[in-house]
């Protein structure tokens, strides 16, 4: 706890409409000719996320005021006195008006050939094939940021008539009168000529998230399967080549003013290939007990948001900030060892335990670097903060998985529809990264993951109430050797519900509810005593109908 001598306050409200559409069409088939099976398919897909409007209105307190704070409770408290509850004390600060469209086209060709054979009492097959994936994704956002108004524009003219509270009975927040989005939007549309645009922020919001990606993946494989007694052996190798071409923009602002409008394009490309061998064995110790073991090699490609070569460079005099993508990122490469023992319970259930080990090269971390008194791109900087995803050296993950699931079909009706599931995963991870002497936890990897659910399924009706928990994990690696600047996402647990009913064979109605208890999303720097961000979300629900023809 403590006191800010010069606290600031903002009030804001926003509204956006998002329309998602997915089109997928596939044509394929298989033909059996004696011991041979031939298969081929072609798939075409289109996905689009259209946001016709995404508008935001913000007001700020007209002066700085002392504020006390206490972060020891779930709803950490900031108290600035009565001044923050009077809408007349808040002046117009910013409104964003714009829209965005993200579209992707996908074309996939695949062909497979299988040869079946018998070796005495044993059987098996050899299978080989090829696949090509062509994908293009484009993101285009147009946003105008207005941060000035020719005249007086106070929040009191567009404030809600009643107070806004958040979970007040549980010691939450009392906000007072919030911004009435509809009133603020109507005021903007009626007085648009009086609003003044910020050229720099408009450029960032309009070009900083625009990009185009073309990706070509070509793959081939050969795989053999052999059934010997109680064991099934599966081995093979996959070759995969990926070629990417990227386009984005370089937005540079000097003291808030654009260096170039429109900004110049930045291009990048990457080309990599991998051989991925693997061997698996499934051994039936008994009819109801199976031992599984596997050695596999896999890759994890970075996301488009990480690899597109965008850059946002803001500076004033000899201090600045850089946020950039990295088209030179390599895919994460992982060698995996897995083993599990599964006991299938009567009449319908499973109890399993597993162990795994992953040896990882090129793990991807978000890196935050601060240059002090150094030269960057031919210019001396007193302080320059650079945020960019990078490949670290290596990492390791070791873990144990436990799972139990049972349908209680031995009970009398209607209780025979009930079932339960519980699972737990423990991991220990570490990574060498960015010249640090000490290792850090693996990126985005929680040490503990728990899931538990109670479900009921019978006569076309299914319902499931589930709880999922994960411990904290590392999000961004800071520069400090002691880890005090590392950003973590705090532990999170939430309760979800899902129910559906199938009419006949083709129509299903469903309801999904997530985060029923409204759990927060928290970030902290170094340790939990230094809270970085605290976001609260209510529950959300989705209802719909699916029809199969």
């Amino acid at each position: 706890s403590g006191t800010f001598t010069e606290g600031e306050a903002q009030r804001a409200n926003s509204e956006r409409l998002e329309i998602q559409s997915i089109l997928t069409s596939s044509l394929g088939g298989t033909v059996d000719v004696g011991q041979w099976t031939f298969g081929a398919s072609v798939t075409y897909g289109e996905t689009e996320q259209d946001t016709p409007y995404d508008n935001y209105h913000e007001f700020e307190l007209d002066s700085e005021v002392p504020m006390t704070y206490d972060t020891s409770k779930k709803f950490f408290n900031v108290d600035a006195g009565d001044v923050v509850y009077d809408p007349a004390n808040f002046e117009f600060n910013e409104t964003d008006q714009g829209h965005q469209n993200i579209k992707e086209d996908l074309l996939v060709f695949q062909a497979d050939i299988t040869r079946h054979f018998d070796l005495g009492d044993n059987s098996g097959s050899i299978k080989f094939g090829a696949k090509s994936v062509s994908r293009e994704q484009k993101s285009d956002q147009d946003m105008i940021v207005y941060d000035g108004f020719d005249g007086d524009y106070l929040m009191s003219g567009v404030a809600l008539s009643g107070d806004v509270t958040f979970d007040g009975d549980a010691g939450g927040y009392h906000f007072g009168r919030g911004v009435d989005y509809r009133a603020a939007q109507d005021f903007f549309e009626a007085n648009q000529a009086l609003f003044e645009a910020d050229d720099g922020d408009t450029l960032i919001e309009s070009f900083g998230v625009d990009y185009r990606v073309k990706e070509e993946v070509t793959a081939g494989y050969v795989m053999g399967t052999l059934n010997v007694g109680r064991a099934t052996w599966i081995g093979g190798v996959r070759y995969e080549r990926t070629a990417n071409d990227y386009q984005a923009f370089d937005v540079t602002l000097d003291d808030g003013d654009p260096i170039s409008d429109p900004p110049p394009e930045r291009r990048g490309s990457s080309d990599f290939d991998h051989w991925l061998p693997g061997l698996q064995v499934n051994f039936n110790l008994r009819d109801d007990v199976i031992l599984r073991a596997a050695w596999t090699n896999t890759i994890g490609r970075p996301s488009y948001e990480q690899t597109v070569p965008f850059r946002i460079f803001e500076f004033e005099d000899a201090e600045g900030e850089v946020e950039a993508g990295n088209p030179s990122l390599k895919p994460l490469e992982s060698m995996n060892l897995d083993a599990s023992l599964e006991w299938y319970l009567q009449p319908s259930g499973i109890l399993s335990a597993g162990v795994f080990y992953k040896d990882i090269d090129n793990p991807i971390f978000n890196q935050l670097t601060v240059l002090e008194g150094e030269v960057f791109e031919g210019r001396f900087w007193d302080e320059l903060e650079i945020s960019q995803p990078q490949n670290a050296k290596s990492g390791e993950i070791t873990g144990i998985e436990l799972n139990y699931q049972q349908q209680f079909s031995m009970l009398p009706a209607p209780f025979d529809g009930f079932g339960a599931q519980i699972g737990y995963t423990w991991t220990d991870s570490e990574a060498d990264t960015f010249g640090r002497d000490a290792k850090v936890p693996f990126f985005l990897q929680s040490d503990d993951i728990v899931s538990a659910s109670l479900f009921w399924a019978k006569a076309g009706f299914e319902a499931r109430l589930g709880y999922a928990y994960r411990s904290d994990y590392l999000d961004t690696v800071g520069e400090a050797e002691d880890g005090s600047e590392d950003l973590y996402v705090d532990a999170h647990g939430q309760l979800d519900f899902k129910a559906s009913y199938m009419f006949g064979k083709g129509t299903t109605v469903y309801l999904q509810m997530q985060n029923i208890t409204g759990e927060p999303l928290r970030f902290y720097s170094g340790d939990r005593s230094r809270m970085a961000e605290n976001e609260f979300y209510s529950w959300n629900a989705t209802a719909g109908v699916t029809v199969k023809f």
Side-chain angles (χ1 to χ4, degrees):
S1 61
T3 301
F4 295 111
T5 58
E6 298 177 352
E8 301 176 355
Q10 293 86 30
R11 292 184 180 272
N13 203 348
S14 63
E15 186 172 299
R16 70 196 302 262
L17 175 64
E18 185 177 293
I19 304 169
Q20 296 181 345
S21 59
I22 301 173
L23 169 66
T24 302
S25 56
S26 182
L27 178 65
T30 59
V31 177
D32 293 324
V33 180
Q35 301 279 16
W36 296 85
T37 299
F38 302 89
S41 66
V42 57
T43 300
Y44 175 75
E46 291 182 1
T47 61
E48 183 177 22
Q49 180 175 296
D50 184 33
T51 306
Y53 69 86
D54 185 359
N55 303 330
Y56 173 83
H57 300 273
E58 181 185 286
F59 296 81
E60 68 175 358
L61 196 64
D62 56 11
S63 63
E64 296 175 335
V65 296
M67 295 182 178
T68 61
Y69 68 92
D70 182 356
T71 64
S72 62
K73 298 180 180 180
K74 174 181 178 180
F75 301 101
F76 64 79
N77 180 263
V78 178
D79 186 3
D82 294 337
V83 64
V84 297
Y85 293 106
D86 186 353
N89 293 330
F90 286 79
E91 299 175 335
F92 168 75
N93 186 47
E94 180 181 313
T95 182
D96 304 345
Q97 304 281 319
H99 55 87
Q100 184 185 33
N101 183 270
I102 301 175
K103 188 173 183 179
E104 180 176 284
D105 295 326
L106 175 71
L107 184 62
V108 181
F109 294 97
Q110 182 170 343
D112 304 280
I113 300 175
T114 305
R115 173 66 164 88
H116 305 277
F117 59 82
D118 294 315
L119 294 174
D121 295 333
N122 306 316
S123 63
S125 66
I126 184 168
K127 184 177 182 180
F128 53 93
K131 184 177 183 178
S132 70
V133 180
S134 178
R135 178 183 284 109
E136 181 174 7
Q137 186 177 107
K138 296 180 180 179
S139 172
D140 181 23
Q141 177 167 291
D142 292 311
M143 186 76 69
I144 301 178
V145 178
Y146 299 89
D147 65 352
F149 182 77
D150 187 10
D152 295 327
Y153 180 21
L154 301 178
M155 180 186 149
S156 53
V158 291
L160 292 167
S161 58
D163 288 353
V164 177
T165 60
F166 179 82
D167 202 10
D169 294 338
Y173 298 107
H174 171 67
F175 287 112
R177 296 170 64 188
V179 179
D180 186 331
Y181 169 81
R182 190 65 262 165
Q185 187 66 23
D186 289 344
F187 182 87
F188 169 81
E189 293 173 358
N191 300 275
Q192 186 171 351
L194 299 177
F195 286 83
E196 302 166 1
D198 184 299
D199 294 337
D201 288 344
T202 294
L203 207 66
I204 291 176
E205 295 299 327
S206 294
F207 288 93
V209 296
D210 287 0
Y211 64 82
R212 179 189 60 82
V213 176
K214 288 186 177 181
E215 182 179 72
E216 301 286 342
V217 181
T218 305
Y221 74 93
V222 58
M223 182 181 76
T225 301
L226 183 62
N227 301 304
V228 181
R230 288 180 169 268
T232 299
W233 296 84
I234 304 172
V237 61
R238 175 184 176 89
Y239 170 77
E240 193 167 288
R241 180 182 183 276
T242 303
N244 293 325
D245 181 66
Y246 310 105
Q247 176 186 332
F249 293 92
D250 188 351
V251 181
T252 305
L253 305 181
D254 183 355
D255 194 15
D257 296 323
I259 297 296
S260 177
D261 187 3
E265 291 185 357
R266 286 169 59 93
R267 293 182 177 273
S269 62
S270 61
D271 189 347
F272 43 83
D273 59 355
H274 296 89
W275 290 92
L276 306 171
L279 178 64
Q280 303 177 42
V281 59
N282 303 325
F283 189 81
N284 289 50
L285 299 176
R286 300 187 328 205
D287 290 344
D288 58 350
V289 179
I290 299 178
L291 175 66
R292 304 181 190 273
W295 166 65
T296 57
N297 290 269
T298 55
I299 63 171
R301 297 185 184 88
S303 67
Y304 293 155
E305 289 77 12
Q306 293 173 316
T307 53
V308 293
F310 82 93
R311 188 172 77 163
I312 300 173
F313 194 171
E314 300 181 78
F315 64 87
E316 181 179 355
D317 298 328
E319 297 184 354
E321 297 180 356
V322 179
E323 181 184 1
N326 187 358
S328 299
L329 280 178
K330 300 177 182 179
L332 173 153
E333 301 175 7
S334 180
M335 188 281 293
N336 317 295
L337 298 175
D338 298 85
S340 67
L341 186 64
E342 302 171 356
W343 179 19
Y344 291 86
L345 308 174
Q346 297 300 323
S348 53
I350 184 173
L351 180 64
S352 65
V355 295
F356 58 86
Y357 169 78
K358 301 177 185 294
D359 185 6
I360 299 172
D361 293 326
N362 306 319
I364 300 171
F365 286 73
N366 291 324
Q367 183 182 22
L368 179 65
T369 304
V370 180
L371 305 181
E372 295 181 340
E374 297 186 40
V375 175
F376 177 78
E377 295 189 352
R379 179 171 176 172
F380 180 84
W381 299 93
D382 291 336
E383 183 174 293
L384 184 64
E385 185 178 286
I386 303 173
S387 176
Q388 187 180 40
Q390 298 283 354
N391 286 115
K393 295 179 182 178
S394 61
E396 295 182 353
I397 301 176
T398 304
I400 299 172
E401 294 178 308
L402 304 173
N403 183 61
Y404 166 73
Q405 182 170 324
Q406 180 73 60
Q407 179 93 30
F408 302 121
S409 55
M410 74 292 290
L411 299 177
F415 303 103
D416 55 345
F418 278 105
Q421 176 274 331
I422 185 168
Y424 171 68
T425 301
W426 170 84
T427 61
D428 180 46
S429 67
E430 61 181 24
D432 292 309
T433 177
F434 310 135
R436 277 199 188 177
D437 294 333
K439 297 181 183 292
V440 301
F442 199 83
F443 184 51
L444 302 182
Q445 179 64 56
S446 296
D447 288 345
D448 299 287
I449 300 174
V450 179
S451 65
S453 63
L454 182 66
F455 59 89
W456 192 85
K458 190 174 183 180
F461 180 79
E462 295 185 13
R464 180 181 294 267
L465 181 66
Y467 177 77
Y469 168 85
R470 55 149 184 81
S471 59
D472 56 351
Y473 61 78
L474 179 62
D475 181 83
T476 301
V477 178
E479 192 172 40
E481 180 69 29
D482 63 1
S484 60
E485 297 176 359
D486 295 347
L487 185 66
Y488 284 81
V489 179
D490 204 356
H492 180 84
Q494 71 178 53
L495 189 66
D496 302 323
F497 175 76
K498 179 180 180 180
S500 65
Y501 182 74
M502 179 181 292
F503 296 89
K505 295 183 178 180
T507 303
T508 301
V509 296
Y510 65 89
L511 170 68
Q512 297 178 347
M513 296 184 66
Q514 294 180 309
N515 198 24
I516 296 173
T517 54
E519 294 302 309
L521 174 64
R522 303 173 187 264
F523 296 78
Y524 64 86
S525 297
D527 64 67
R528 287 187 177 88
S529 68
R530 294 192 291 272
M531 184 75 71
E533 192 166 337
N534 199 25
E535 304 178 12
F536 287 91
Y537 297 90
S538 180
W539 58 270
N540 67 83
T542 303
V545 179
T546 61
V547 180
K548 295 181 180 181
F549 300 97

